[in-house]
């Protein structure tokens, strides 16, 4: 009788762990999707900012440094940059 109960408890524990793993994977999926979306929006914004600075002849070292920094942040933020390495 104890063996049966132990086996049942082990099965329930395995099911619980599997469910927790699935929930963690789903949460990570949405985190990655949100970060990807943020990266895409930021990339469009930075690209437009760069175009406007060039068009208005307002490119200067401060703007260049900001754009370079922002591009690095976007690369780090985008989860697709390291998903398939």
């Amino acid at each position: 009788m104890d063996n049966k109960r132990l086996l049942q408890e082990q099965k329930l524990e395995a099911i619980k762990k599997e469910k927790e793993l699935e929930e963690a994977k789903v949460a990570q999926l949405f985190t990655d999707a949100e970060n990807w979306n943020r990266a895409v929006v930021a990339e469009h914004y930075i690209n437009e900012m760069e175009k406007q600075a060039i068009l208005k002849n307002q490119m200067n070292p401060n703007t260049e440094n900001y754009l370079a920094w922002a591009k690095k942040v976007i690369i780090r933020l985008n989860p697709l940059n390291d998903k398939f390495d």
Side-chain angles (χ1 to χ4, degrees), residues 1-67:
M1 191 71 157
D2 280 341
N3 282 344
K4 242 184 180 181
R5 191 171 59 91
L6 183 60
L7 280 174
Q8 185 64 21
E9 287 176 8
Q10 289 173 341
K11 284 181 184 179
L12 290 174
E13 187 63 30
I15 290 169
K16 180 182 174 185
K17 285 183 180 180
E18 195 173 310
K19 183 178 178 185
E20 289 172 354
L21 180 61
E22 181 67 16
E23 288 171 358
K25 287 169 59 178
V26 169
Q28 187 62 53
L29 169 67
F30 280 97
T31 297
D32 288 348
E34 289 166 3
N35 285 339
W36 173 81
N37 191 51
R38 291 170 62 202
V40 168
V41 169
E43 184 175 22
H44 286 292
Y45 173 75
I46 290 303
N47 287 341
E48 188 59 32
M49 178 185 272
E50 186 172 29
K51 282 185 211 171
Q52 292 297 317
I54 291 169
L55 284 173
K56 295 177 181 178
N57 202 24
Q58 294 176 337
M59 191 62 81
N60 59 54
N62 285 339
T63 303
E64 290 173 357
N65 288 338
Y66 178 80
L67 293 170

